[in-house]
Amino acid sequence: MKIALLGYGKMGKIIEKIAIDRKHEIVLKIDHDNQHDLTAENLQKADVAIEFSTPATVLGNIEHCFNAGVPIVVGTTGWYDQMPKIKQQCQEGDNSFIYATNFSVGVNIFFHINRILAKLMNKHPYYEVQVEEIHHIQKLDAPSGTAITIAEGIIENLDAKKQWVNILTDTNNPADDNAKVDDVLIESYRIDSVPGTHTVIYDSEVDTIELKHTAHNRNGFALGAVLAAEWVQDKKGFFSVEDMFDLA
Ligand SMILES: NC(=O)c1ccc[n+]([C@@H]2O[C@H](COP(=O)([O-])OP(=O)(O)OC[C@H]3O[C@@H](n4cnc5c(N)ncnc54)[C@H](O)[C@@H]3O)[C@@H](O)[C@H]2O)c1
């Protein structure tokens, strides 16, 4: 498979290595300093594009792939308010698109257990739920896309919760949260080089239940993105990673 990498930062470089290990070929690499190479002609040399850039640049890159008719895998987070527009453009133009807030297999298993646990906790209203996420200090968006998916999984299954609220917390200087009873509080921490840690906490007066996922490095995200490229290259339509990982 021939791959175009849109975004050649921390993730783009790991994806390149894993793709080559899996016998794929990188035919185009686009970063902030070679935008002029992002032409339909160059994109069409690839069977699929993998996009890990920034919230400010992802929409333009998706549009280029749609115009060139090249399937795209999107890992960039922090732009999901635009998703309905992208879904419509994808379907109207007969394009191929797959995205994930988190491409790791382990996190997608975690998402599934989180939904089951939230449904179960409906019978136990004396537990209060909260989500915590920790990421490296260069991360541009807060809360993480992964934490949003976790909170949405809780809201869909736990009747008492209607929406999420976020606070970015400084460990030395904890912020007050103004969460209401029907809010899921997401606390975000930015610490050194942490690749990504997410915890769902159900706390009562007598005990605490914690469901935690810790990424040890970025390889799991990168492998998932390459698997998504292999999966989507011969499909048409708008997909999320749940369509690919059969966890039912
Ligand atoms: N979905 C997932 O599984 C997953 C996992 C890890 C990271 N992410 C997300 O992926 C994105 C990238 O993460 P990263 O750690 O590689 O960040 P990074 O900052 O290391 O890399 C981003 C790269 O994009 C480049 N860039 C800037 N403008 C561009 C443009 N117009 N076109 C192409 N590239 C451009 C930057 O120069 C930089 O090299 C972030 O949004 C992050 O939250 C998602």
Side-chain angles (χ1 to χ4, degrees), residues 3-13 15-16 26-35 37-40 42-44 46 48-55 57-68 70-76 97 225:
I3 297 176
L5 292 178
L6 309 184
Y8 193 58
K10 290 185 284 298
M11 285 302 300
K13 292 187 177 78
I15 289 167
E16 176 180 42
I26 307 299
V27 293
L28 182 66
K29 289 183 218 170
I30 299 292
D31 208 81
H32 71 98
D33 53 356
N34 67 336
Q35 292 295 299
D37 290 334
L38 186 58
T39 61
N42 281 340
L43 272 174
Q44 283 161 355
V48 61
I50 303 182
E51 210 285 350
F52 280 74
S53 68
T54 73
T57 53
V58 58
L59 292 175
N61 288 337
I62 294 171
E63 199 167 318
H64 275 289
C65 287
F66 284 177
N67 290 340
V70 175
I72 180 166
V73 175
V74 176
T76 301
F97 174 99

Side-chain angles (χ1 to χ4, degrees), residues 25-126:
E25 188 187 347
I26 307 299
V27 293
L28 182 66
K29 289 183 218 170
I30 299 292
D31 208 81
H32 71 98
D33 53 356
N34 67 336
Q35 292 295 299
H36 51 275
D37 290 334
L38 186 58
T39 61
E41 193 189 352
N42 281 340
L43 272 174
Q44 283 161 355
K45 291 175 188 155
D47 300 306
V48 61
I50 303 182
E51 210 285 350
F52 280 74
S53 68
T54 73
T57 53
V58 58
L59 292 175
N61 288 337
I62 294 171
E63 199 167 318
H64 275 289
C65 287
F66 284 177
N67 290 340
V70 175
I72 180 166
V73 175
V74 176
T76 301
T77 56
W79 61 277
Y80 297 140
D81 53 334
Q82 301 295 313
M83 194 64 85
K85 193 178 88 182
I86 292 299
K87 186 173 184 179
Q88 191 183 353
Q89 280 178 13
C90 176
Q91 289 165 342
E92 282 173 3
D94 199 24
N95 293 298
S96 312
F97 174 99
I98 183 166
Y99 84 101
T101 59
N102 193 311
F103 274 107
S104 114
V105 178
V107 161
N108 283 278
I109 293 169
F110 179 101
F111 287 158
H112 190 67
I113 298 169
N114 170 55
R115 289 191 202 99
I116 295 169
L117 180 60
K119 207 173 200 65
L120 193 71
M121 295 310 277
N122 267 316
K123 295 182 192 144
H124 305 287
Y126 32 87

Side-chain angles (χ1 to χ4, degrees), residues 224-245:
V226 175
L227 293 175
E230 293 169 3
W231 185 87
V232 83
Q233 60 157 337
D234 57 359
K235 296 184 176 59
K236 289 277 180 203
F238 178 91
F239 303 102
S240 93
V241 78
E242 284 171 40
D243 299 308
M244 179 178 88
F245 291 131

Side-chain angles (χ1 to χ4, degrees), residues 177-215:
D177 73 77
N178 294 316
K180 303 192 293 299
V181 285
D182 59 356
D183 290 337
V184 176
L185 175 66
I186 306 174
E187 269 197 82
S188 300
Y189 297 86
R190 295 291 170 262
I191 301 173
D192 300 333
S193 55
V194 175
T197 301
H198 293 85
T199 313
V200 178
I201 304 156
Y202 285 89
D203 194 33
S204 79
E205 277 192 11
V206 292
D207 59 7
T208 302
I209 304 168
E210 287 191 1
L211 183 63
K212 181 172 182 177
H213 180 274
T214 307

